[in-house]
Amino acid sequence: MSELHPLLATRWSPLAFDPVAELSDDVVGSLLEAARWAPSTANSQPWRFAVGRRDDEMYKRTLENLSAECQRWAGNASALIVAARLDRVMLPRAAYDLGQAVAHLTVQATALRLHVHQIVDFDFDGLRADLDIADDLHPTVVVAVGRLGDPAILPPDLRAWETALRTRVPVTELLVNRVSIT
């Protein structure tokens, strides 16, 4: 296997977050700064974020719009960040660009010894209404961020998922043209 940078090799999306850990303004600023410096088509930066920290109103409204399954664990994250893309005809690559921004945020979180779990199972219309999100923004993902927690706090079914061996599809299966990698 090719060598991977430790920030990428140690990144994973836990369900168990420390329910008392908090994120400082500097840490949140650092995550958003990493997203801000992500590449984007013609430097359009077609992304916007809504940050909620545990116990504030933004967090509570975001959590309420997650699926019941995600609510079972996401409420322990230190922050829930709604990532939205600008939805305009002149920005046809906005979804791709937003993905880059969230990836940069994720790598920065890993560098800060934080963990991120991206959530796409949420009530789109409810989130848009509850957070008063502008019509030209498309909420795409909710990013749960926090310190790693103890899997024992999770219900048994989620604990089993949390502690299972991580797997990935082999690189050869990701290649369309089956070029050999040496």
Side-chain angles (χ1 to χ4, degrees), residues 25-38 45 47-51 53 81-82 101 104-105 108:
D25 291 344
D26 286 344
V27 167
V28 172
S30 176
L31 298 175
L32 296 173
E33 191 68 14
R36 185 173 80 96
W37 282 98
Q45 297 175 270
W47 50 72
R48 300 295 182 267
F49 299 99
V51 179
R53 292 190 217 183
I81 302 172
V82 178
H104 276 62
L105 183 153
Q108 181 68 14

